[in-house]
Amino acid sequence: MKTFDLNRVVITSNFWQKYLRLIRKETLPYQLQVLKDDIVVDVQAERKDDSLPAGKSHAIENFKIAAGLAEGEHFGWFFQDSDVYKWIESVGVILQSQSDADLEAQADEVIDTIVQAQEDDGYLNTYFQLKYPKLKYRQLYFSHELYCAGHLIEAAIAYDKATGKGALLDVAKRFVANISEHFGYGPNQIQGADGHQEIELALVKLYDYTGDKSYLRLAQFFIDVRGKDVDFYQKEVATNLAEGLSEDNPVIDLTYLQAYKQPKHQHHAVGHAVRMLYMATGMAKLVSRDFDSELYQACLDIWDDIVKRKMYVTGGVGSTVRGEAFVGGYDLPNDTMYCETCASIALLYFAYEMFQISPKAEYIDVMERVLYNGILSGAAADGKHFFYVNPLEVDVDSCHHNPDKGHVKTRRPDWLGCACCPPNFARTISSIGQYIYLESKDKIYLNFYIASRLNGKDFSLEQKTDFPFGNTVEITYHGPCKTLYLQEPYWSKDFMITCENAQVLQHEHRRVKVFLEDRAKIILRFKQPALAVTSNPKVRENIGKIAIQKGPFIYCAQTIQNSDLKCYRINLKMINQAIVEEKTDDFGMLKILKLPCYKADLWQKEELYRFNHGETLSLSELHLIPYYLWGNQGETDMQVWFSIGGK
Ligand code: FUB
Ligand code: ZN
């Protein structure tokens, strides 16, 4: 299957155009100012820990120092370079469908600095160049050198594709040449992989872009070598100690790094969530380019483990702050979870790759769930504030006082010391056009109902719809006969399809196969009722609770619109009485779902426990908003799961 170049997909959806405009006009200029330390913003540590870098970004300054254009020391996380690469990738993605002279000039300037920062032998990582040159490629358990290289590759491809200016692509290729020289199964080569996966998926992209098979082979090497020698990282530590190069003597957690065995033998989602999912994405990419049944089985099992046991209803993943990691199955606490924006983004990537291997409804379901909930919640509606952690329940007082919630922010900060999420959000959302359609020979896969025009090589297709809010999709097609694949959304009711110059050939497992002739017209109609979501009884946090979903959106309640969130009791019989009230707010997007319900009376006396006291319930109304919009109106308690109650 192939994606379409972004200049072939013209997004006309109001919902998504707003985001694309926001990213181009607000987010990217703002992010550049922050990366250049040009504006004073509150750069917070990602969790309460005074040892973590915060206060400024310094990401571009690090490149300037490495390039000899400025003096000073490296500041920030050792993977700070990747923030800049992701920003360039976002610009590249935007420029692929729309010119923007200002953004392009700014990106050129940044790229020029990067070019100058690269060493003659191709190596490029400002942290090691400036701080520990003797430890290059020698601390792979934490170094992120190849992780940063991966983001460089992705940025370089996006920018070259958009502008044809190959400077950054040359940098990336020279860095990869240096990596190929140092890593491999040859004598004197390093037989290990970066602690943080990313280069694997990026190398496959580089192979796709250049057609050079050596990049695919290198990606295969990194997936193969991981976990092959389980002592690899510990040996690195021992050698550095013995040679007096470093005094660090950590005990390496191989589960955190997904290096406890080779990926092809891994069958569970464990350890650091973003690493796990970038790796799984890389594995799935390899499977679709060069089929490997063992690797595919590992992908399938990891997928099942996530979506059947470890994924939040918002598409968030990573249940614990410790190691930003997956934990056991059904362990999904709503208020101490991690649910990093990057992890949700990585789940979108993994799902998309899995769909391309086997186009089943479940992959699109997860992509949609994570996109409209756990990813969009990552940024504020102003495009300039960002969550790293995306909770499903916030009690402001508890977040301020409970040290176990030091990572749960009650407001999206201006920026973060560990700023992986904000530019990841920008590059992913600006690439939305890439996820809507796929093609394979004479087949077109329409994955998302997003109003857009698709200009294929020999056909054109247009989707007219107000989705995610509207309930109809009108598809028109001009071109030679083809087969179109559509999805019946899992949350939809009364899904109906009518065709002109087209014929439904199959409608099974919520996948619809339609034969298209020239001038075909297809109209889809469906309802998006408010639905009560129940979780598997093994999820102890959600026993006796429900969440509300309408269309692709999970809803939540805030104390801005309600009071004492824990007192609301939802009666399943009342769900169908929910009504939507549109409210124009600053961002013009807020739709409030008003749900009749019950509310437990508060106790008048301040006491903690009573004997034999049933709840006294009064009729009430809960005002819910789409989860992704929470936290845009100031600090507030927030809740997704509500107790069932009332008659
Ligand atoms: O380590 C690089 C990125 O920073 C990870 O993907 C995130 O989880 C954050 O730790
Ligand atoms: Zn992140």
Side-chain angles (χ1 to χ4, degrees), residues 553-605:
F553 297 114
I554 298 297
Y555 278 70
C556 71
Q558 308 184 115
T559 33
I560 307 254
Q561 286 89 13
N562 308 276
S563 60
D564 303 306
L565 297 182
K566 290 178 188 66
C567 294
Y568 288 93
R569 305 287 174 261
I570 298 188
N571 183 315
L572 287 170
K573 285 185 236 145
M574 289 172 154
I575 303 285
N576 58 8
Q577 295 170 29
I579 51 161
V580 177
E581 186 183 283
E582 303 212 4
K583 201 172 160 216
T584 314
D585 67 349
D586 294 353
F587 319 110
M589 298 190 202
L590 202 59
K591 289 189 189 287
I592 299 193
L593 190 67
K594 295 189 165 178
L595 180 66
C597 65
Y598 291 90
K599 197 169 177 192
D601 290 348
L602 289 174
W603 292 358
Q604 296 310 318
K605 262 172 81 187

Side-chain angles (χ1 to χ4, degrees), residues 1-4 352-353 355-357 359 364 367 433-441 443-447 454 459 483-485:
M1 269 190 221
K2 282 196 303 208
T3 53
F4 289 89
Y352 197 38
E353 294 305 325
F355 179 80
Q356 291 177 59
I357 302 172
I364 299 295
M367 286 174 71
Q434 184 189 304
Y435 297 97
I436 308 175
Y437 306 98
L438 283 162
E439 76 174 330
S440 166
K441 297 193 184 126
K443 298 178 182 141
I444 305 170
Y445 295 85
L446 191 162
N447 309 324
L454 170 64
F459 71 91
T483 320
L484 177 70
Y485 291 84

Side-chain angles (χ1 to χ4, degrees), residues 117-158:
Q118 184 168 37
E119 296 194 345
D120 290 344
D121 66 358
Y123 184 88
L124 180 57
N125 183 290
T126 65
Y127 179 80
F128 283 91
Q129 286 170 257
L130 297 176
K131 286 187 98 136
Y132 300 105
K134 291 196 177 142
L135 284 166
K136 288 176 190 166
Y137 300 144
R138 298 189 65 141
Q139 288 185 315
L140 293 167
Y141 64 95
F142 91 89
S143 79
H144 285 59
E145 287 154 292
L146 308 188
Y147 165 88
C148 290
H151 282 301
L152 166 64
I153 294 168
E154 291 195 87
I157 295 170

Side-chain angles (χ1 to χ4, degrees), residues 530-642:
L531 299 168
V533 186
T534 316
S535 54
N536 185 304
K538 290 185 186 171
V539 182
R540 64 180 173 281
E541 306 280 340
N542 298 339
I543 295 171
K545 293 184 179 174
I546 55 165
I548 304 294
Q549 176 165 358
K550 187 167 169 14
F553 297 114
I554 298 297
Y555 278 70
C556 71
Q558 308 184 115
T559 33
I560 307 254
Q561 286 89 13
N562 308 276
S563 60
D564 303 306
L565 297 182
K566 290 178 188 66
C567 294
Y568 288 93
R569 305 287 174 261
I570 298 188
N571 183 315
L572 287 170
K573 285 185 236 145
M574 289 172 154
I575 303 285
N576 58 8
Q577 295 170 29
I579 51 161
V580 177
E581 186 183 283
E582 303 212 4
K583 201 172 160 216
T584 314
D585 67 349
D586 294 353
F587 319 110
M589 298 190 202
L590 202 59
K591 289 189 189 287
I592 299 193
L593 190 67
K594 295 189 165 178
L595 180 66
C597 65
Y598 291 90
K599 197 169 177 192
D601 290 348
L602 289 174
W603 292 358
Q604 296 310 318
K605 262 172 81 187
E606 194 165 349
E607 55 192 340
L608 210 40
Y609 305 105
R610 286 180 183 175
F611 281 120
N612 302 328
H613 180 93
E615 282 187 338
T616 327
L617 297 180
S618 320
L619 272 174
S620 183
E621 190 174 66
L622 186 59
H623 293 190
L624 300 142
I625 61 164
Y627 169 77
Y628 76 97
L629 286 174
W630 92 268
N632 274 300
Q633 298 156 303
E635 199 170 47
T636 176
D637 291 358
M638 183 275 295
Q639 207 170 298
V640 168
W641 290 96
F642 292 87

